[in-house]
Amino acid sequence: MRVDENKVIQYLIVVVPLALVLTASFFITTFYLEKVSLYFKTIKERSIKEYVDTKKNKSEIWVEQLNLLFDYKSKRIDESIKIKLKKRVDEAYENARFIYDKYKGKKSSFEIKGRILDSLNQMGDKRKQDALYLSDFNARNILFGVKSNKTIHQRNRSLEEIQMVRKNKEGFLEGKFDGGSTKQVIFVKDLGIYDWYIGSSINVLQEQEILKSNLLEMLKSIPLESSDFMGLYDNKKAIYLSKKMRIFLGDESLDIISKNLSYKSDWHRYKLDDYYYYSKYYKPLDWYLVYGFEISKMSKKELAKQHELEIILDNELEFVVKASASIVIFVVILSLLLSRKINHIFSQYQEEVRSREEELVSLNESLEQRVLDELSSHRQKDKMLIQQSKMAEMGDMLSMIAHQWRQPLNQMSYLFMNLDSAYEYKELTKEYLDDKLKEGNELLEFMSITIDDFRNYFRPDKEKEFVLVSDVVKTSVKLMQKSLDLSGVEIKLESSGKELTHIYKNEFMQVMLNLIKNAKDIVVDKKTKKPKITINTRSEEKKLLVEVCDNGGGVDEDIIDKIFEPYFSTKDKQSGTGLGLYMSKMIIEEHLEGKLSVSNTKDGACFKIEI
């Protein structure tokens, strides 16, 4: 039987291309599906890793900032104790000298001594917790404190005090006196009358416990993100666990964290599924700080990103399957009815292209919306960061308030003592009482105005307002004036032109405080002779210029291009975080649409604000 070659050829023409197309389609589709699945899996894993790494970095920065705060507060204990002791003894000294000078030559020595002892006893009774005592150079006790000074003074400490007073007139003694187990700090001062000297002491351990209590209360008030938790351990015993930490972890996981605490700062995850946590040991307080987060509770942004990837993957897989099936059908029909199906195939191709174009247009629209949402979120975060930076300056502001109030409080104390003495010795008249009441009201009004100035500074800006920039500069200088006076820094203000502008007042004030504080720190650190800060405010054409210049020698040319970078600081970790100039530049250039720059002059550095 002869085989019809024409039929075989016709058969082969149909079957062979069809078989080749089916085979190639199968392998290509399988290969492509594997690649697409692997690609999206890699993207998803990378996204989760980026989320975890970002959270880790933020957590480490947060813990390090808290650690810096602990270190700063701990190192200031000794200084704070000495300030308290000196202030306590100086007030008693001033009171005793006032009585002595007032009645010298008018009363007998016996009566003057009696009045001095009565006055010091009254000061001790008012304070209660303060230890105040009076002795002579023969180690005889004249007045015992309200605490344990009688016991202290009966032991072998008098000789050291007398030597200190005779040699230096006043001074501090530190150590574990009288066989005690805790450190004490003592301050003694020569009264200059009757061979008497006055002294006082503070227990360092008690001050440390007060510091721990204050830091713990501050830690409890810190807000956390929904996925974060925080804990504090004293000698590996939990003294504070955030509510989220107790809810997230439970007793078993908390036991694991407690057992894994060590002196080495590190991240932990093993034996604790779905959680990362970072532990940091602070030796001076014997504290362990734990900060962590739950992996499964990602932010809304990350969850939306994951969901979007899953949708794109499903659409892509569906498209590949449909495209492969369409190609196979298309080739089969083409093999059988090539001549009839050309127009139909072209129409299908056009329809497919149109469908893809619509998908791309839709994707572009969604991308534009996401970009707008991200920009809005970024601006909101910038505002929050500015407010957080301002709150980080609270410590400096509280110090400024203390400087502003210290002298009025001392004057009020002297006023009350004068009234008490006048009443006791029947010298209180109506005119004298009215005069002292008027003086007290003036002091209270000054203190009230001071606290209002600082309260207004911490109120967040909601809307821009038209202000004279020279007035904002004067308010900023007023807040810093006491600190500048104590540092011996002269400040000079110059203004010209109409500097009225539309700005966020408190944000601009935050920038001015940052620049003034930086200038003060530079001239003080470099021990500049006749330190001086000059602030010039002027308007040129349509621009407002503010220049803050110092005579501290200028900025090193090797780092002048880096000083506005975040976390870059020329100070040590205890004195600066590297955020002040970065936040100032962001406020001026992004929120006030201006420009902040720095340059060196012959005397020092000059920061220029252009709005």
Side-chain angles (χ1 to χ4, degrees):
M1 185 178 64
R2 290 183 63 187
V3 177
D4 191 344
E5 293 182 0
N6 291 332
K7 290 183 178 180
V8 171
I9 292 174
Q10 292 176 359
Y11 177 76
L12 292 176
I13 290 174
V14 174
V15 172
V16 171
L18 185 58
L20 292 174
V21 169
L22 290 173
T23 303
S25 178
F26 173 77
F27 284 108
I28 292 173
T29 302
T30 303
F31 175 79
Y32 186 72
L33 289 175
E34 290 179 354
K35 288 292 184 181
V36 170
S37 299
L38 180 62
Y39 171 73
F40 280 98
K41 181 181 179 181
T42 302
I43 290 178
K44 186 174 181 179
E45 291 176 350
R46 185 187 304 162
S47 177
I48 295 174
K49 184 178 183 301
E50 289 176 354
Y51 169 76
V52 172
D53 290 342
T54 300
K55 292 291 292 184
K56 281 186 175 182
N57 290 334
K58 289 175 63 178
S59 299
E60 287 183 25
I61 292 172
W62 183 243
V63 171
E64 289 301 326
Q65 288 177 341
L66 288 176
N67 188 68
L68 289 174
L69 178 61
F70 292 166
D71 196 49
Y72 172 77
K73 294 291 185 181
S74 178
K75 288 183 177 180
R76 286 182 61 86
I77 286 181
D78 290 342
E79 180 184 351
S80 175
I81 289 174
K82 289 182 178 180
I83 291 173
K84 287 182 182 177
L85 282 174
K86 192 172 188 312
K87 179 182 177 183
R88 183 187 305 167
V89 173
D90 284 346
E91 288 180 358
Y93 172 86
E94 293 293 336
N95 191 25
R97 292 294 306 188
F98 172 80
I99 294 173
Y100 176 79
D101 294 338
K102 181 176 180 180
Y103 295 104
K104 180 181 178 182
K106 300 178 182 178
K107 304 284 184 181
S108 66
S109 296
F110 178 79
E111 290 179 307
I112 295 175
K113 289 180 181 180
R115 288 176 182 258
I116 291 174
L117 292 177
D118 288 343
S119 177
L120 295 181
N121 268 325
Q122 290 177 7
M123 292 179 68
D125 290 339
K126 290 178 182 178
R127 290 193 174 92
K128 294 184 180 180
Q129 79 278 8
D130 297 344
L132 193 66
Y133 59 86
L134 187 67
S135 297
D136 62 18
F137 290 152
N138 294 320
R140 288 179 299 192
N141 301 320
I142 309 302
L143 174 69
F144 298 125
V146 299
K147 280 192 170 183
S148 58
N149 285 300
K150 183 175 181 180
T151 303
I152 293 173
H153 222 61
Q154 285 174 343
R155 299 179 181 176
N156 299 323
R157 200 176 71 194
S158 299
L159 182 58
E160 294 182 50
E161 296 174 351
I162 293 171
Q163 289 176 344
M164 174 64 74
V165 173
R166 285 188 180 279
K167 183 178 179 180
N168 303 318
K169 298 300 182 182
E170 66 180 36
F172 291 95
L173 299 173
E174 300 181 19
K176 297 179 180 178
F177 297 103
D178 310 317
S181 59
T182 59
K183 179 182 176 182
Q184 287 185 327
V185 180
I186 302 169
F187 181 69
V188 290
K189 184 170 184 174
D190 185 7
L191 273 178
I193 55 175
Y194 307 126
D195 285 337
W196 285 359
Y197 71 89
I198 192 167
S200 185
S201 66
I202 290 180
N203 190 304
V204 176
L205 181 59
Q206 292 177 354
E207 292 295 312
Q208 288 178 339
E209 292 301 322
I210 294 173
L211 172 63
K212 283 186 175 183
S213 178
N214 293 337
L215 290 176
L216 181 59
E217 290 302 317
M218 180 208 69
L219 208 63
K220 290 179 180 179
S221 65
I222 295 176
L224 302 176
E225 296 184 8
S226 61
S227 62
D228 295 0
F229 58 85
M230 180 169 57
L232 185 64
Y233 293 78
D234 188 350
N235 194 19
K236 294 193 175 182
K237 180 181 178 182
I239 58 174
Y240 168 66
L241 298 175
S242 67
K243 181 178 179 181
K244 296 176 183 178
M245 187 171 180
R246 296 193 301 272
I247 294 174
F248 285 171
L249 302 182
D251 294 338
E252 183 178 352
S253 297
L254 291 176
D255 289 339
I256 293 174
I257 291 176
S258 179
K259 291 177 182 178
N260 287 337
L261 292 175
S262 66
Y263 295 151
K264 181 181 179 182
S265 301
D266 202 358
W267 280 97
H268 305 273
R269 189 188 180 188
Y270 63 93
K271 299 181 181 179
L272 197 64
D273 295 334
D274 297 328
Y275 299 95
Y276 280 99
Y277 70 92
Y278 181 73
S279 64
K280 176 80 174 180
Y281 177 67
Y282 183 63
K283 185 176 180 180
L285 300 180
D286 196 20
W287 276 4
Y288 297 86
L289 182 62
V290 173
Y291 196 98
F293 57 92
E294 184 180 6
I295 305 172
S296 60
K297 290 194 175 183
M298 300 173 68
S299 64
K300 292 182 179 180
K301 174 184 172 182
E302 294 295 331
L303 291 174
K305 187 176 179 180
Q306 294 293 326
H307 182 64
E308 185 179 321
L309 286 173
E310 291 174 358
I311 293 175
I312 294 175
L313 176 59
D314 292 339
N315 291 338
E316 194 69 24
L317 293 176
E318 182 181 357
F319 171 73
V320 170
V321 173
K322 288 181 178 180
S324 299
S326 299
I327 292 173
V328 172
I329 295 172
F330 169 73
V331 173
V332 170
I333 295 174
L334 181 62
S335 300
L336 299 174
L337 303 169
L338 184 60
S339 61
R340 297 181 182 180
K341 296 296 182 179
I342 292 177
N343 289 333
H344 179 66
I345 292 171
F346 186 72
S347 298
Q348 285 186 328
Y349 177 77
Q350 286 184 322
E351 185 65 25
E352 191 68 25
V353 170
R354 188 181 300 109
S355 175
R356 294 294 292 166
E357 288 178 348
E358 291 176 355
E359 290 180 6
L360 289 173
V361 170
S362 176
L363 182 59
N364 285 335
E365 292 176 351
S366 65
L367 284 174
E368 290 176 358
Q369 185 60 42
R370 287 201 300 275
V371 169
L372 292 175
D373 292 342
E374 286 298 321
L375 288 174
S376 175
S377 174
H378 180 67
R379 292 192 183 97
Q380 187 64 27
K381 288 179 180 178
D382 284 349
K383 291 181 179 179
M384 293 176 64
L385 189 57
I386 291 169
Q387 189 64 18
Q388 289 171 358
S389 176
K390 184 185 292 185
M391 296 307 293
E393 298 169 2
M394 178 113 20
D396 290 335
M397 287 296 148
L398 291 176
S399 176
M400 293 178 196
I401 294 174
H403 287 314
Q404 295 280 15
W405 276 25
R406 184 172 289 111
Q407 184 61 30
L409 288 174
N410 285 337
Q411 293 179 12
M412 289 291 289
S413 176
Y414 296 149
L415 187 149
F416 290 146
M417 288 191 291
N418 292 339
L419 288 175
D420 185 60
S421 297
Y423 176 81
E424 181 179 355
Y425 297 104
K426 298 180 180 180
E427 297 175 355
L428 181 64
T429 64
K430 183 66 169 63
E431 292 77 12
Y432 184 83
L433 178 62
D434 290 342
D435 183 63
K436 293 300 177 182
L437 289 176
K438 180 180 178 182
E439 181 180 347
N441 286 331
E442 290 175 353
L443 291 173
L444 291 175
E445 182 178 359
F446 170 78
M447 294 167 69
S448 176
I449 292 172
T450 299
I451 204 66
D452 284 341
D453 288 341
F454 284 96
R455 183 184 62 184
N456 291 333
Y457 168 70
F458 282 106
R459 183 179 296 118
D461 287 321
K462 293 183 178 179
E463 296 180 354
K464 288 184 176 180
E465 53 185 303
F466 284 99
V467 295
L468 283 171
V469 175
S470 58
D471 290 343
V472 180
V473 172
K474 290 177 182 178
T475 302
S476 304
V477 172
K478 183 180 178 183
L479 295 179
M480 289 284 297
Q481 189 65 55
K482 198 65 178 181
S483 176
L484 293 168
D485 292 343
L486 290 175
S487 300
V489 179
E490 177 189 359
I491 188 159
K492 181 179 180 182
L493 302 181
E494 301 174 349
S495 63
S496 60
K498 297 181 180 179
E499 357 86 346
L500 185 69
T501 188
H502 197 222
I503 57 173
Y504 294 108
K505 179 180 177 182
N506 280 1
E507 289 189 1
F508 187 81
M509 190 183 302
Q510 182 179 356
V511 174
M512 291 304 304
L513 287 173
N514 274 331
L515 296 181
I516 296 171
K517 184 177 184 299
N518 277 353
K520 186 207 77 171
D521 291 343
I522 287 296
V523 297
V524 171
D525 289 344
K526 293 188 176 182
K527 299 180 181 179
T528 305
K529 293 183 178 179
K530 296 182 179 181
K532 181 178 180 181
I533 300 173
T534 303
I535 304 178
N536 184 290
T537 306
R538 65 184 187 277
S539 57
E540 294 183 358
E541 298 178 353
K542 295 183 179 180
K543 290 195 301 183
L544 174 70
L545 301 179
V546 180
E547 294 178 332
V548 181
C549 304
D550 60 66
N551 61 346
V555 183
D556 191 338
E557 293 295 337
D558 294 334
I559 64 169
I560 195 169
D561 294 330
K562 300 179 181 179
I563 62 173
F564 292 111
E565 294 179 3
Y567 305 109
F568 178 83
S569 176
T570 58
K571 306 175 184 177
D572 55 31
K573 293 185 178 179
Q574 286 75 25
S575 303
T577 62
L579 284 175
L581 290 178
Y582 168 70
M583 291 303 304
S584 299
K585 190 173 182 66
M586 185 176 69
I587 290 172
I588 294 298
E589 297 189 354
E590 295 188 19
H591 286 231
L592 304 182
E593 298 178 354
K595 181 181 179 181
L596 175 61
S597 60
V598 62
S599 60
N600 285 324
T601 64
K602 64 178 182 179
D603 295 326
C606 189
F607 288 83
K608 180 190 288 187
I609 300 173
E610 301 177 52
I611 300 177

